[in-house]
Amino acid sequence: MKSHTEYLTFNLPARLGFERITEQVAKVVADSGVKEGLVLVNAMHITASVFINDDESGLHEDYEKWLETLAPFDASPRTYHHNRTGEDNADAHMKRQIMGREVVVAITKGKLDFGPWEQIFYGEFDGRRPKRVLVKVLGE
Amino acid sequence: MKSHTEYLTFNLPARLGFERITEQVAKVVADSGVKEGLVLVNAMHITASVFINDDESGLHEDYEKWLETLAPFDASPRTYHHNRTGEDNADAHMKRQIMGREVVVAITKGKLDFGPWEQIFYGEFDGRRPKRVLVKVLGE
Amino acid sequence: MKSHTEYLTFNLPARLGFERITEQVAKVVADSGVKEGLVLVNAMHITASVFINDDESGLHEDYEKWLETLAPFDASPRTYHHNRTGEDNADAHMKRQIMGREVVVAITKGKLDFGPWEQIFYGEFDGRRPKRVLVKVLGE
C-alpha cells in the first residue's frame, strides 16, 4: 500500500470565489505513483469547501447568488450569534455546509476516474487570506 | 491490497427521480472479494447525486418538493446565468450540491456496514438520458 | 494494510443537538495503529449527521436556527408526506442532507491531519434515543 500527502495553498482576492484545482490534484496523484486507489481532497479551513461540479462561469455566478440567498452575509451581531464573538463570517460556515468540505475521487489506471464534466473546485466563502487544502492519496 | 471498479448506468424517465441502488453496490462489493475496506459510490455527472437515506416514497416526494423550493427549475435565461448558455438545468447543479455527489461506505466482514435504515440512492435532477455511477472498492 | 472498526453510541437529550466527537475518533485512530491512511466517520442513522466545523456555541445556535428555516419541524401530516406514515421527523431527514452523513479524514504520522479549527461533530436532528456512529480506519 502506498500513501502520499500534499498541501495546496489558496489565497482568493474576494470574500467569495471558486478556483478550479483539478490539475493540481491530478499532479499529486501522478506524483504518488498510485495506479488504483482513492484520493481525498478537503478544505482544512471551516469557511471553505472542496466540491466537484461544472467549470462554467455563469453557473458559478448562480452559485454565489444562490448561497447568498440561503445564508446571507451579515457582519452585524443581529442575525448570527457567531458574529457576537468578534467574527463576521457566520454565513461562510453555512455556505460551506451546502457546498461540502471534501471530495473522495477514484484513481483508476493512474488517473482521476471522472465523468465528462467533473472538475474539482476550491470554494472560498471568507477569503483574502491564505488557506490550505489537503490531498491524500491511498492505494497501490 | 485489492481494488475493484465498476460503472453502473441509470436512465430515469423524468427530470427528477430517486432509485435505490443498494443491491447493485452490494453485488459489486461481493464480487470484489474485499472483506475489510471502503467503497466509494459517486455520480459521474454533475446534475445527479448519490446519497444515503430512507427508502420511503413519501419522504422522496418531500425531497422533491423541498429541493424545488430551495432551487426552483427555471429554463428561462432570467433566473440563472447558466441557462443563458443554451442549458436549462442550472437548478439541477444546485439540487445536486444539497444532496451530495458521493458516499463512502465501510465494508466489514465482506458486507456494507449499515445502520438499520440506510439505503443508497441515485438521485437524478436532469434525467431522461443515460448517466453513470462509479463504484470503487478498496481493501483486503 | 490494516483496518479497524469501532461503533460509538450517542443519546442526545433534545430533538436537535451537536456533540464534539473529535477525541473519540482520535482515540480510535490511535488504537488502530494506522500511521498513514484514511478514517471514515459516518452516522448510521438517517436523521443524524457527522460533520466538521467550528467548536463555537454561538455558531451551533445559528446552525439550529438556520436549519429550522430551511427545513422546519412539522409533526402534522400537512407539510410532509413522510409524516403521514406515523413518523414526525421528515424535517430531520432534510436537515441531515444539508449537514451531511459522513466525513473522511486523512491520517498522517498517526494523527488526524486537521487544519487549525477543524473539529468533528455528531449532529442530531431527532434525538432522545441511542444512535450509532461508525468509525472505520484503513491504512498502514
Side-chain angles (χ1 to χ4, degrees), chain B residues 7-72:
Chain B
Y7 307 91
L8 312 173
T9 300
F10 300 96
N11 192 340
L12 268 64
R15 179 172 283 273
L16 197 149
F18 303 114
E19 183 167 332
R20 192 184 68 222
I21 64 172
T22 315
E23 290 75 10
Q24 282 126 299
V25 175
K27 186 179 182 311
V28 175
V29 169
D31 291 348
S32 75
V34 167
K35 298 299 176 196
E36 295 293 325
L38 297 174
V39 55
L40 166 70
V41 191
N42 71 265
M44 300 186 80
H45 291 255
I46 54 190
T47 50
S49 285
V50 170
F51 67 95
I52 288 174
N53 217 298
D54 201 0
D55 190 10
E56 200 280 298
S57 63
L59 180 66
H60 295 182
E61 285 186 62
D62 294 333
Y63 274 145
E64 185 164 344
K65 190 177 154 194
W66 180 63
L67 291 167
E68 205 54 41
T69 309
L70 293 181

Side-chain angles (χ1 to χ4, degrees), chain A residues 10 12 15-21 43 45-52 67 92 95-96 99-101 120-127 131 133:
Chain A
F10 299 96
L12 269 64
R15 179 171 283 273
L16 197 149
F18 303 114
E19 183 167 331
R20 193 183 68 221
I21 64 171
H45 291 254
I46 53 192
T47 50
S49 285
V50 170
F51 67 95
I52 288 175
L67 291 168
K95 287 166 172 134
R96 122 69 168 254
M99 298 304 277
R101 168 187 179 259
I120 311 174
F121 287 91
Y122 174 71
E124 177 63 82
F125 309 115
D126 185 23
K131 290 183 176 174
V133 164

